[in-house]
Structures are given as structure tokens and as C-alpha cells.
Amino acid sequence: MKIVVIGAGIAGLSAAIYASECGYDVEVLEAHERAGGLATNWERGGYTFENSLHWLLGSRPGSPMHARWRELFDIERLKFMYPEPFVRLEPAEGPALNVPRQVDQLEEEWLAYSPEDAEATRRFAAQIRELGKVNVPGMETGRVSNWLGMLLNVPHLPLLHELTTMTCEEYGAGFKNPVMRSFFQGEETGRMSAIAVLLSLAWTSEGDCGYPIGGSQAVIRAMVERLLELGGKLHCNAKVAEIVAEDDAAVGVRLESGERIGADWVISGADGHATIFDLLHERFADRETLRVYEEFEPFPSYLQVSLGVGRELKSQAGFATWLLKYPMEIDPVTRATQLAMRFFHYDPTFAPQGSTAVTCVIPTRNSGYWMGLRQRDPERYGQKKQEIAESVMAEMERRIPGTRELIEVTDVASPATLVDCTGNWQGSMEGWLLTPHTGYQMLPNTLPGLSKFYMVGQWIMPGGGLPSGPLTARPAIEAICAHDHIPFTAGKKFQAA
């Protein structure tokens, strides 16, 4: 039996590998020139610039998410780094604030940084420790809805409820120090549920969330190799124009080239909005589906300024948030108050010896402006990107004197670039923002009235991220196997200790 998978990002590849391991004939159709989707990096002038992967949940052997990755590829082949600190907040003036990986060290440093916030800091650290004991439903079995996991969490339900229904901005209001508040209240972070930030710190403190050398493409390459080893097929530059439905069942897809590919099942790991409203022409969008796309808030889009610097910058934090003294104009509705900086000195594959790849990510919810500007005035579009790059480089020179003249490569990707490469709705960086309104649960992975079809990925799992791939793909393939009376036998090769 044949399954066609739309999209070769983490979710699409996860579904394809699970299905191939269960004996299905699988074809993956990727619109871009290579697999990865948002999980990608690119080369410019001898430097490699990472687009998405900050850290990978499941890097720690023995952790539940590690087991999920082991079902899909040989994760042991990856070399993980754990840069310290996890994050550093650097105000325009005054001392920086570290967010160490270990909660005990975090508590110690925060108490010293702001003694007046002792009560809030101790509470923060205690909650991180408690969350380290929480079984996140879904990771043990690959199912997002896991009743056993929920029962095991009964002692922690009051804390989980509190943090899920509270925004990060509300949580940060408990701190008096403005730099500490900025950790929770930065632009998009402030609207997220507090559970998202505290769970990340809990996982990190438990020794998880390492960065794989080679970035996101190291993961993607390993997954593609596994898919091909299993006999699955990957077609790049194969953009799907339509999901073909007959008698209210998905029976295949039609490519932009006009070619039709038949299938017994269709799985979309592509953008959720494009899948429902474009590929299926809104035929199977009921009132609840429409409500989600009207009310839920996606992650913003962003500009990424990437710099190749001819100097080792190992004194810089691998991931730093620069708090700006004055807002930086990005587009007509966006004024950045902070810059998310990454100094990849811990990945020697990203730069020539003695040099450092640096990226700066600036969120914006004005993707339409960038797409329109590129279309109507390409020259001004290029100028505008360069202006933002110059602003970032000026701030970098102010904080790290002497770097401006050592910048060898400059590259700027706008929301228009993101839409071109991924097709993500509004150029979103990560699907649905995890907020008190969305809740911490998976959305339906089917559409009413359409059989032989599943959706996987970050558009059905608020909060997104790489784990949403296997955590949504596994239950989809299990359901397909159950329907077809085929044993679910995925993940056996790498399960031996």
C-alpha cells in the first residue's frame, strides 16, 4: 500500500520513516531543492548559517524524547554540545545576567544579581525543579494524549495548571529587576504560556537540550539516509498543487507540473493553512477548523541577519539577548527592543578556523510588507535589508569593538525568503504560539468528512519545535496501520541499548 507525504521537514520525514518501517511504499514530495523545511542552514562565503535549531530536546540518552528520535534514526551518531550559559541577557548598560543550564547555578547567580528578587528567584528555581519530575504526556509513547502520563502527573497538576494558564509576561511581573523581567517579557515570549519557558529550563537542567554539531541539517541528513535505506523515495523540487479527493477520500496529489500521483493515504507535513485552504480548497474546513485559524496566534515571521566574522568570539555567550537602549526600526510596524544573537563558536563546521558564524533574529508580524516590497520595488527591498544589517553590525561594534572591520560575509533573509523556502503561513517561524488560549494539547490531525488523510507537524501541536514531528507522526502512522490491519513495527533497529 502506498502513502504520499507532502513536505520533507521533520514532521514529513518522521511520518515517512515510520510508514516505511511498517512496510508501506512511501513517496515524499518536497517543494524546495532539498529536505528540511524550516530545519535548515545555508552556506555563504565559507560560512554556514543556521536557521532554526537552537537545541534538540532528546539529546540526553535515556530521556523519553531520545527514545522517539532513536525510532527514526541513529541519534548516537550526532555529537552534542552544551554551551554555557544557556542564555545571557545583556542590557545596553550594566552587568549581564546569565541563565545557566543547571537550576542550582541559576538560582545562585540570580540571587546574587538581584537580592531584592530573592523570593521570586527561589520560587522560580523550585518550580523548575518540580517540572523536572513531570512526565510530559506523549513523549513516553509517542502520543500527545497519554492518559497514563497524565495520571502520573497528578501531584504536579496545580503547578501545571498555573503555568499553562499564565503568560510569560504575567510570570515575569513577579520580578522587580528589569533585566530579569526582560527574560520573560521579551516581545513574542511575553504572550506565550509560562509553562513553555519553565519546561525548557527544567529539561535543560536535567542534562537535555544539547546542540548537535552541524545544526538542523545534521538531523535532516540522518533522517533522509534512514528513509532511503528503508526504500522510501524523496522527490525535491516537487511542489504539490492539489490534494486529490474523490468520494470524500484522499486518493493522491497533483503536482504543479501537472503530474498526478495516486496513493492509498495522503499525509501532509506542509503548512497547515496551505494544506486546508489551498491544497484542499477549503472543502473540508468545518467551523472549528475555521475558528482555529481565525483565533489562534501563529509565531511571528522574522528577519535573520547572518554575519561571518574573521575572529574567534568564544568570550561571547552562544545565545545572547541584547537589550537595546533605543528601539530599532525594522519595518513600518515593527520596532525591535532586543536582538537574539547566536555566536556559533561551539560549532567548528560553521566557519573557517579562527572565525565565527553569527546570526541575529528579529521577529516581525509584517510579512506582507516584505513580500510586497520585494515584488513592487526590488531595489528598495535590497536597500532595506542592508539598512537593517548595518544597524545590527553597528550594535555589534558598540558591544564588541573591532568586529565591524572583520565582517567578511553578510547575508539577510527576510520573511519573503521564509515564505519562498517553506510556504509557511504569514512566514511564521514555528506554527502556533503556545498561549493560555491554545492550551497544551494537540489539535485534530484529520479533517471532517475526508478519509485516508492525516496532518502532522507543528500546525496541529501548539508550541511547535522539532519534537512536534515525531510526536504527531507516530500516532498518525499507528492509526493508519490499525485501519489497514498492519502491525506497527517502527523503531526497532535503534532500540537496543
Side-chain angles (χ1 to χ4, degrees):
M1 300 186 74
K2 183 173 181 177
I3 295 178
V4 163
V5 179
I6 305 170
I10 292 287
L13 290 174
S14 297
I17 293 170
Y18 279 131
S20 295
E21 288 182 318
C22 293
Y24 284 90
D25 176 17
V26 178
E27 285 194 55
V28 184
L29 306 173
E30 168 57 42
H32 199 44
E33 61 188 15
R34 66 173 179 173
L38 286 166
T40 194
N41 47 49
W42 58 89
E43 297 180 6
R44 293 288 186 274
Y47 291 85
T48 299
F49 299 124
E50 175 63 34
N51 178 64
S52 65
L53 197 154
H54 292 74
W55 39 266
L56 186 69
L57 179 62
S59 65
R60 179 174 66 85
S63 66
M65 197 62 219
H66 188 83
R68 300 285 71 77
W69 293 121
R70 280 174 64 95
E71 292 179 337
L72 297 168
F73 67 96
D74 185 9
I75 190 173
E76 311 302 337
R77 65 186 275 186
L78 300 180
K79 180 181 179 181
F80 287 96
M81 304 295 290
Y82 297 83
E84 282 284 4
F86 187 51
V87 184
R88 177 179 293 159
L89 294 110
E90 302 182 17
E93 299 172 349
L97 173 65
N98 286 331
V99 183
R101 286 180 172 270
Q102 292 299 316
V103 64
D104 292 349
Q105 186 181 353
L106 183 154
E107 183 176 26
E108 180 182 346
E109 291 200 25
W110 281 40
L111 287 171
Y113 191 89
S114 179
E116 64 178 347
D117 282 303
E119 182 179 351
T121 293
R122 290 194 176 99
R123 179 172 179 265
F124 179 42
Q127 290 174 335
I128 293 172
R129 293 188 184 98
E130 181 174 347
L131 289 175
K133 304 172 185 177
V134 168
N135 172 67
V136 178
M139 291 187 189
E140 295 289 354
T141 63
R143 291 180 179 275
V144 177
S145 297
N146 179 346
W147 286 103
L148 176 60
M150 293 174 70
L151 289 173
L152 293 173
N153 286 333
V154 167
H156 311 293
L157 287 180
L159 177 60
L160 292 171
H161 176 74
E162 175 189 354
L163 297 178
T164 301
T165 57
M166 173 189 294
T167 66
C168 284
E169 183 170 3
E170 291 168 340
Y171 190 96
F175 290 85
K176 300 181 180 68
N177 185 278
V179 179
M180 288 180 169
R181 285 202 306 270
S182 72
F183 177 66
F184 303 96
Q185 299 179 343
E187 295 168 353
E188 301 305 322
T189 303
R191 295 200 287 277
M192 294 174 64
S193 292
I195 188 70
V197 171
L198 272 77
L199 261 182
S200 298
L201 294 174
W203 292 326
T204 302
S205 188
E206 292 292 314
D208 210 327
C209 303
Y211 167 87
I213 294 296
S216 55
Q217 278 293 306
V219 177
I220 293 296
R221 282 193 296 270
M223 295 183 76
V224 169
E225 288 175 16
R226 178 62 178 149
L227 173 65
L228 299 180
E229 178 185 289
L230 290 165
K233 302 178 183 68
L234 170 62
H235 305 289
C236 293
N237 296 311
K239 188 171 184 178
V240 174
E242 180 183 26
I243 296 172
V244 180
E246 296 176 358
D247 298 324
D248 294 333
V251 296
V253 300
R254 181 177 58 81
L255 304 184
E256 280 197 342
S257 65
E259 179 185 359
R260 177 168 167 168
I261 301 174
D264 297 288
W265 294 88
V266 174
I267 296 175
S268 178
D271 173 75
H273 189 276
T275 298
I276 295 168
F277 296 92
D278 298 333
L279 303 186
L280 286 166
H281 312 295
E282 205 174 327
R283 284 177 57 192
F284 303 96
D286 64 354
R287 182 173 297 179
E288 179 59 21
T289 302
L290 295 174
R291 183 190 69 81
V292 167
Y293 281 85
E294 289 169 358
E295 296 182 6
F296 280 21
E297 182 177 9
F299 276 86
S301 191
Y302 61 93
L303 288 94
Q304 177 168 316
V305 178
S306 302
L307 306 170
V309 184
R311 175 196 290 182
E312 288 189 349
L313 297 171
K314 293 185 177 180
S315 63
Q316 301 300 311
F319 185 18
T321 299
W322 287 356
L323 307 177
L324 301 178
K325 187 173 185 179
Y326 303 106
M328 182 182 296
E329 180 179 330
I330 305 303
D331 54 48
V333 300
T334 306
R335 301 291 184 276
T337 59
Q338 57 184 243
L339 301 178
M341 305 294 300
R342 297 181 68 190
F343 295 85
F344 287 91
H345 45 66
Y346 47 86
D347 193 331
T349 69
F350 276 11
Q353 187 173 2
S355 303
T356 308
V358 180
T359 64
C360 171
V361 172
I362 309 172
T364 175
R365 289 194 174 277
N366 201 8
S367 60
Y369 165 81
W370 290 96
M371 294 170 67
L373 182 62
R374 186 182 63 175
Q375 183 176 10
R376 68 175 179 271
D377 193 345
E379 183 177 354
R380 177 56 186 152
Y381 171 74
Q383 291 172 350
K384 184 65 175 173
K385 291 201 300 180
Q386 186 59 35
E387 288 171 7
I388 293 171
E390 291 291 342
S391 296
V392 170
M393 290 187 285
E395 184 67 17
M396 189 166 164
E397 174 65 21
R398 190 183 73 79
R399 293 175 183 255
I400 315 172
T403 52
R404 180 65 181 88
E405 63 184 17
L406 297 175
I407 294 174
E408 301 171 332
V409 176
T410 304
D411 180 78
V412 182
S414 79
T417 313
L418 192 67
V419 171
D420 279 352
C421 294
T422 69
N424 258 26
W425 186 42
Q426 299 178 9
S428 171
M429 65 173 73
E430 206 172 331
W432 300 119
L433 200 68
L434 180 62
T435 69
H437 181 57
T438 64
Y440 196 79
Q441 60 183 357
M442 190 170 76
L443 300 173
N445 59 0
T446 59
L447 293 174
L450 181 63
S451 63
K452 298 300 187 98
F453 171 81
Y454 279 92
M455 292 177 65
V456 296
Q458 57 194 6
W459 292 100
I460 62 168
M461 186 174 174
L466 273 65
S468 67
L471 291 181
T472 58
R474 196 181 201 269
I477 301 304
E478 285 182 311
I480 290 173
C481 286
H483 180 279
D484 293 338
H485 306 290
I486 293 174
F488 181 81
T489 57
K492 302 300 183 184
K493 178 175 181 179
F494 302 117
Q495 290 309 297

